Amino acid sequence: MFGWNKKLNDVMEQLRPDLSRDSLGVGPDFPGVAPNPLMSSEARKRNAELRTGVLALGVLVDWREVNSNPRVVLMFDVDTADGLSFRGIADEALTITELTRLAPGQTLPVRYRPAVMDHYVALARDADPADVQRLSDEIASRRRT
């Protein structure tokens, strides 16, 4: 039982090298992509926390299909209201319509957990457009100075 998570992550990296930490552009603190997040209590807890996380903006870098649901791993360059920038990974189930609309460079609202900072983010589908615009303006003004 000890070391099971490490073994599981090693198996995932062997089966899907495109989902390895190096390939996704994250560091060793990233816990890895779960084979099935619905079966992992840790992943369910993380997803619940991300739904109430802090709003940030993510620029879509790339994505990888994980299976045919279509479940995808989205890679974002994330900017926060606090001025923090990091590579964020979102593990999402998208509709075919949403999947066809993905384009690198697209800016989307995401949520993250500042207390954890494990590279996980989630799409902020419920974000108020006014809050997203305010955050976008704040990040843009910080870049100009």
Side-chain angles (χ1 to χ4, degrees), residues 23 86 123:
S23 179
F86 64 95
L123 291 176

Side-chain angles (χ1 to χ4, degrees), residues 4 6 11-12 14 23-24 36 44 51 61 63 72-73 81 95 108 124 130-131 145:
W4 174 248
K6 182 178 178 349
V11 168
M12 275 301 288
Q14 288 174 2
S23 179
L24 295 173
N36 184 347
R44 286 192 308 268
R51 279 193 290 276
V61 175
W63 67 92
V72 294
V73 171
T95 66
L108 298 167
D131 291 340
T145 59

Side-chain angles (χ1 to χ4, degrees), residues 78-86 112 114 117 142:
V78 178
D79 288 313
T80 70
D82 298 337
L84 184 65
S85 295
F86 64 95
Y112 75 106
M117 290 310 298
R142 188 173 51 242

Side-chain angles (χ1 to χ4, degrees), residues 84-133:
L84 184 65
S85 295
F86 64 95
R87 172 62 52 91
I89 305 297
D91 189 343
E92 300 280 343
L94 300 179
T95 66
I96 296 296
T97 303
E98 290 171 322
L99 188 60
T100 60
R101 291 182 179 160
L102 291 178
Q106 187 175 17
T107 301
L108 298 167
V110 297
R111 294 195 185 279
Y112 75 106
R113 302 174 298 168
V116 179
M117 290 310 298
D118 61 357
H119 297 279
Y120 271 111
V121 298
L123 291 176
R125 300 170 192 256
D126 64 335
D128 179 11
D131 291 340
V132 173
Q133 186 60 51

Side-chain angles (χ1 to χ4, degrees), residues 24-62:
L24 295 173
V26 294
D29 294 336
F30 181 63
V33 176
N36 184 347
L38 299 176
M39 305 264 312
S40 165
S41 62
E42 195 173 304
R44 286 192 308 268
K45 179 183 175 207
R46 177 185 65 240
N47 290 339
E49 289 174 357
L50 284 169
R51 279 193 290 276
T52 61
V54 176
L55 190 62
L57 291 180
V59 176
L60 186 63
V61 175
D62 198 5

